[in-house]
Amino acid sequence: MTLDVSKKADGRRQRWINLLLTAGSVLFVLAFLELFLRGREPDMNAPFDGTLYAVQAPPEMIDAFTWDGEGNSLAHVRSDNALLVYELRPGVQLNEFISINSLGFRDYEYSIEKPADTYRICVVGDSITFGWWERLEETYPKVLEDLLNAHVSGEMTVEVWNMGIGGYNAEQEMELVRTRAMNYDPDLIIIGYCTNDHQIGADGGLWRHFTRSGSHAWDWISLRWMQARELFVREKMLARSYRRISEIASAADIPVMAVFFYPQNPAPQSLREVASDIALAERLGLIIVDLRSYFEEAGWENTMSDSAHPNKHGHRIAARAIYDTILEHDLMSEDVLQTP
């Protein structure tokens, strides 16, 4: 009996030893990872100065990406919505030609309640749609607005809201549609697609800034865990986000259009990925605008500001392609929109 009690005590003691050794090993690995990452990225938790993000913005706007004591900047503020992560600061002037309206979008001031005889289009997207390098009137949503208003009849007015926010991925765009765009009674929703829309934290540093915990190791593990989880889920981010947008819009009988932008001179792998995403959007019943042939015909070098963002000529091409698609699919009745 004494021997059995002694064996049980030894077994419990060994389990505690094993548990402590395991915990110690985990803590050692975490401490090593923390020190390694701090040495590799010493400024990871310092106020984000916009250096990375400036590839998507004019150089004189670096000051718009310096942060106050609450972790917000002139350009961006932390969102109360965990899926949105961050939003544009309402009612600020970022430079001589970029300002944010009272609703937090780069556009004119519109009434939330849609006026009578108004056809309203809400465009969500990332920095391509926002148009860091172009004046507001040169971005494709506003070029489209001008095209449509030039050909509407009677007292009808068309509003095309530029709701693009630089760095947003498909999930953030879906949440923006769900929580904001649907409140504005749109007649059409347009998604501006970019090839990194399926990625987490691929926004030049904004996602990292607004989600950091203070621990390099924890932030590194959290991001890698989310990225790894995306590899194994049955329905990937872009698929579930587009499906959800389709469901939300369909319930309100609102058509959804997906406009597919490409990087400059896309590689074969990129073309395969975009083709797969176009096929997905078609299966979901979205109206497709594939801009590849338009940009190839005009010449990539003539339509792009950099490897990812169209210039004002590229924005005009995109607007015209969307306009033609609206006509092709009779999204506005013939007695309202006259064919030029």
Side-chain angles (χ1 to χ4, degrees):
M1 183 71 174
T2 303
L3 184 60
D4 289 343
V5 172
S6 177
K7 285 183 177 180
K8 289 180 180 179
D10 288 343
R12 285 195 297 269
R13 186 163 46 251
Q14 187 60 49
R15 285 194 293 272
W16 275 108
I17 291 172
N18 291 341
L19 180 62
L20 290 172
L21 287 173
T22 301
S25 299
V26 171
L27 289 174
F28 175 80
V29 170
L30 288 175
F32 177 83
L33 181 61
E34 184 75 23
L35 290 173
F36 173 79
L37 290 173
R38 284 182 182 273
R40 186 178 178 184
E41 295 183 304
D43 297 326
M44 183 175 178
N45 286 314
F48 173 51
D49 66 2
T51 302
L52 291 174
Y53 200 72
V55 299
Q56 298 177 353
E60 70 272 14
M61 285 183 58
I62 289 294
D63 288 345
F65 303 99
T66 54
W67 304 93
D68 61 24
E70 297 181 351
N72 299 315
S73 74
L74 177 65
H76 297 91
V77 294
R78 189 183 311 278
S79 177
D80 294 332
N81 185 319
L83 285 182
L84 291 178
V85 184
Y86 54 87
E87 302 176 40
L88 295 172
R89 183 186 292 275
V92 298
Q93 184 85 29
L94 299 183
N95 67 8
E96 64 173 326
F97 65 92
I98 296 181
S99 60
I100 310 302
N101 68 17
S102 61
L103 295 177
F105 305 114
R106 187 195 179 191
D107 211 325
Y108 310 126
E109 293 290 346
Y110 292 106
S111 64
I112 294 177
E113 183 177 353
K114 186 171 64 178
D117 297 322
T118 298
Y119 188 92
R120 179 173 286 174
I121 301 173
C122 289
V123 186
V124 298
D126 57 13
S127 55
I128 291 175
T129 300
F130 182 93
W132 283 110
W133 296 97
E134 284 70 47
R135 296 183 178 277
L136 175 60
E137 63 271 18
E138 295 172 339
T139 63
Y140 74 88
K142 309 316 292 181
V143 177
L144 175 64
E145 184 177 77
D146 288 343
L147 276 172
L148 291 169
N149 278 315
H151 297 101
V152 293
S153 58
E155 299 299 319
M156 178 64 67
T157 299
V158 179
E159 297 176 354
V160 184
W161 289 27
N162 186 337
M163 298 176 67
I165 297 180
Y168 267 22
N169 60 25
E171 186 171 55
Q172 290 167 299
E173 291 163 2
M174 177 277 295
E175 189 67 2
L176 189 63
V177 169
R178 187 184 74 83
T179 61
R180 301 293 302 279
M182 293 303 295
N183 295 333
Y184 307 137
D185 192 19
D187 297 287
L188 171 65
I189 292 171
I190 296 177
I191 309 168
Y193 167 95
C194 178
T195 52
N196 66 0
D197 279 354
H198 64 287
Q199 298 176 17
I200 301 171
D203 58 5
L206 284 170
W207 188 92
R208 186 183 75 180
H209 172 83
F210 283 108
T211 59
R212 67 188 181 198
S213 67
S215 167
H216 288 54
W218 177 257
D219 294 340
W220 187 89
I221 291 170
S222 297
L223 176 58
R224 268 58 186 185
W225 165 249
M226 285 186 282
Q227 292 172 337
R229 185 177 58 189
E230 275 297 310
L231 296 176
F232 297 101
V233 295
R234 174 174 293 184
E235 189 176 38
K236 309 299 184 185
M237 177 197 291
L238 190 121
R240 65 177 180 267
S241 299
Y242 278 21
R243 174 184 56 78
R244 185 67 180 127
I245 291 173
S246 177
E247 291 171 348
I248 293 168
S250 179
D253 197 25
I254 300 169
V256 179
M257 179 184 295
V259 182
F260 286 82
F261 289 87
Y262 290 75
Q264 187 171 2
N265 297 314
Q269 175 62 25
S270 180
L271 290 175
R272 287 192 291 269
E273 290 175 355
V274 178
S276 175
D277 292 337
I278 289 175
L280 162 72
E282 288 177 330
R283 290 195 300 272
L284 291 171
L286 275 57
I287 299 166
I288 305 300
V289 179
D290 184 350
L291 294 174
R292 178 186 174 187
S293 61
Y294 294 88
F295 279 58
E296 286 180 340
E297 182 179 352
W300 291 104
E301 68 281 1
N302 299 320
T303 57
M304 304 292 288
S305 291
D306 55 35
S307 61
H309 301 86
N311 58 25
K312 61 182 180 181
H313 182 46
H315 278 270
R316 287 197 299 269
I317 290 173
R320 185 69 205 200
I322 297 169
Y323 177 86
D324 290 343
T325 305
I326 288 174
L327 289 177
E328 178 185 349
H329 288 265
D330 296 323
L331 298 179
M332 297 178 69
S333 61
E334 291 184 4
D335 59 334
V336 171
L337 183 62
Q338 307 298 318
T339 304

